Amino acid sequence: MEVTREVGRRVSTFDAYIKPILHTRTNLRVIKYAQVDKIIFTGKSATGVVYTRHGHIMQAHASKEVIISTGTFGTPFLLFKSGIAPLGLLDKTNIPPVALLPVGMNLQDHPGFVVGPFAVNDRTYFSNVLDNFTSEVFEKYITSQKELIISNIGVDGQGFLVSQVAKKREESDWPDIFIDIVRPYYNIYKDNVANQFLVAIYVGRPEYKKSYRGSLTLDINAYRRGVTNIEQLLRIDYKFLQNKLDYSVLLEAKDAVLKIMSTKSFKKIGATLQPMPICSKEHPFNSYDYWRCVMEVTGTNGWHSCGTCRMGHGPSDKDAVVDSKLRVIGLQRLRVVDASIMPQITNINICAAVVAIAEKACEIILKQHATPFTPI
């Protein structure tokens, strides 16, 4: 699997882009332990932000513009608190409206569920932190500058498939299913976790019709009670599996996984599907109703949430929050640069796409604010 790592260690965007220049750029200052609370406006122009650090409320002022990069959930939340929201959302709050925009709409992710567990009689083919994570290994991991064989968040393999739905759309060269073979981190099956693995399956291209897209809104009652925690204030509705096509793609993916588990390679390690107790008690094992139950119990997303501040063509695009240069529509000196601006989710992990968005934003910003060269 391709992951963002170097010498066996995870490399975040902070590690790759900021850390190397953190103490060498005079025009860069990183303030740690700070939480942005709202954007400061003068009329329709963003001039800075209010933030809290160590319990103290502070302000940071911008000489050129304010760039928001707080993520698919954090960015809408910040915009809500700053007076940028859909019509009617802030009516019963004390937040003065600044702009009416469809913030929080268009929420997307990859719907999925877990097939398994599969019991094995030979676990040497799978990474196992519990077996290998000794004090000696940890010391070697910390001190060694050489590549070590480590697990990528417990994912031992990944595959991509094309569903019958995609083939009917003449998209046979564009996978719309992805599967992860993973090790269970906690025991939801009340059996020996070390001798099991799971297969997580996802719809790579969920149906994109407007009525099937999710939303993110503010819990007004909680806000009026004084709640400040983002997890308690946001109402999230993915609207997963609202149409039959996504549902049929997942069932097809499940059948493909069971077929893969019947191959010689997996038979060699004794891979055997085990019943999920909560579902097998109510439905015949491996029946249609059984899998409906499994889907409901283990239903998840791909951790690829995006789209809540959708990019569009400009003021004429009623579904857009930012324009093609990532500027918040109808406002000045305010830009959004994160996964929230994606109009439509990619068919796999959004990490590379988000980095590309940031790179493009840098190009746009540098071009706009570049100081003209004056020959001597």
Side-chain angles (χ1 to χ4, degrees):
M1 288 181 59
E2 292 185 355
V3 295
T4 53
R5 74 177 185 183
E6 185 177 24
V7 196
R9 292 165 175 79
R10 181 180 185 274
V11 178
S12 67
T13 48
F14 177 83
D15 293 325
Y17 287 87
I18 303 299
K19 201 171 183 179
I21 62 170
L22 188 57
H23 303 294
T24 61
R25 297 286 182 92
T26 57
N27 61 347
L28 173 65
R29 181 188 177 193
V30 176
I31 301 176
K32 298 190 291 184
Y33 316 114
Q35 179 72 46
V36 178
D37 298 315
K38 69 176 181 178
I39 304 163
I40 302 170
F41 286 96
T42 301
K44 296 290 185 179
S45 182
T47 58
V49 296
V50 176
Y51 67 95
T52 302
R53 186 169 188 261
H54 300 314
H56 299 285
I57 299 175
M58 309 180 79
Q59 293 186 3
H61 297 278
S63 60
K64 291 184 172 66
E65 63 179 78
V66 175
I67 301 168
I68 305 301
S69 300
T70 46
T72 297
F73 302 106
T75 292
F77 186 54
L78 179 59
L79 294 180
F80 289 157
K81 293 191 295 180
S82 304
I84 306 169
L87 179 65
L89 181 62
L90 304 179
D91 286 353
K92 295 182 180 180
T93 71
N94 59 352
I95 302 173
V98 175
L100 298 178
L101 291 170
V103 176
M105 303 297 104
N106 194 53
L107 174 63
Q108 299 172 55
D109 206 318
H110 295 122
F113 76 101
V114 174
V115 180
F118 291 92
V120 298
N121 54 29
D122 184 354
R123 60 180 175 176
T124 59
Y125 290 86
F126 297 92
S127 61
N128 192 316
V129 176
L130 296 179
D131 281 352
N132 302 320
F133 194 70
T134 63
S135 58
E136 292 80 9
V137 169
F138 181 71
E139 183 177 357
K140 184 178 179 181
Y141 175 75
I142 294 298
T143 59
S144 176
Q145 294 300 311
K146 296 181 180 180
E147 181 82 19
L148 298 177
I149 299 176
I150 59 175
S151 169
N152 170 39
I153 62 168
V155 178
D156 290 300
Q158 193 170 57
F160 304 90
L161 306 170
V162 180
S163 73
Q164 292 301 317
V165 171
K167 291 176 181 178
K168 289 178 181 178
R169 292 173 173 166
E170 298 183 354
E171 297 172 346
S172 297
D173 58 345
W174 191 10
D176 63 329
I177 294 171
F178 63 98
I179 63 176
D180 294 332
I181 297 178
V182 299
R183 300 305 305 270
Y185 289 104
Y186 51 92
N187 195 347
I188 62 175
Y189 301 105
K190 299 180 181 179
D191 285 317
N192 187 356
V193 173
N195 290 319
Q196 295 180 355
F197 68 90
L198 308 169
V199 181
I201 58 177
Y202 304 94
V203 180
R205 291 197 304 284
E207 193 71 10
Y208 185 62
K209 291 181 181 179
K210 189 173 182 179
S211 59
Y212 300 145
R213 300 177 217 167
S215 64
L216 183 155
T217 58
L218 190 66
D219 187 330
I220 301 301
N221 292 329
Y223 178 83
R224 294 179 67 183
R225 291 197 305 270
V227 176
T228 58
N229 189 307
I230 184 173
E231 295 181 4
Q232 296 175 296
L233 283 173
L234 289 185
R235 288 182 172 179
I236 301 169
D237 181 6
Y238 281 105
K239 292 187 179 179
F240 280 160
L241 305 181
Q242 294 290 307
N243 67 92
K244 295 181 180 179
L245 290 179
D246 289 349
Y247 186 78
S248 64
V249 169
L250 278 179
L251 288 179
E252 183 179 342
K254 177 266 299 181
D255 291 338
V257 168
L258 296 181
K259 188 174 181 180
I260 292 170
M261 294 304 139
S262 66
T263 60
K264 291 182 179 179
S265 297
F266 281 95
K267 283 185 176 180
K268 184 179 179 180
I269 60 173
T272 307
L273 178 65
Q274 304 297 303
M276 178 184 291
I278 192 172
C279 292
S280 60
K281 289 180 180 178
E282 299 292 331
H283 310 286
F285 178 55
N286 211 15
S287 66
Y288 176 84
D289 290 334
Y290 171 82
W291 287 112
R292 282 287 299 265
C293 175
V294 173
M295 193 177 295
E296 292 175 1
V297 171
T298 69
T300 185
N301 62 10
W303 299 357
H304 306 148
S305 298
C306 62
T308 49
C309 294
R310 179 184 176 275
M311 179 179 67
H313 301 295
S316 62
D317 189 342
K318 301 304 180 183
D319 294 327
V321 175
V322 301
D323 63 16
S324 60
K325 295 187 184 298
L326 310 186
R327 300 170 298 196
V328 177
I329 295 169
L331 301 175
Q332 287 78 50
R333 294 163 46 102
L334 181 61
R335 211 181 300 255
V336 174
V337 184
D338 57 36
S340 71
I341 68 97
M342 294 175 66
Q344 187 169 355
I345 195 169
T346 55
N347 72 317
I348 189 58
N349 194 305
I350 64 173
C351 179
V354 174
V355 173
I357 289 168
E359 290 272 13
K360 181 61 179 177
C362 289
E363 179 183 294
I364 293 170
I365 294 166
L366 287 171
K367 186 176 181 180
Q368 178 176 333
H369 297 292
T371 303
F373 174 71
T374 304
I376 297 175

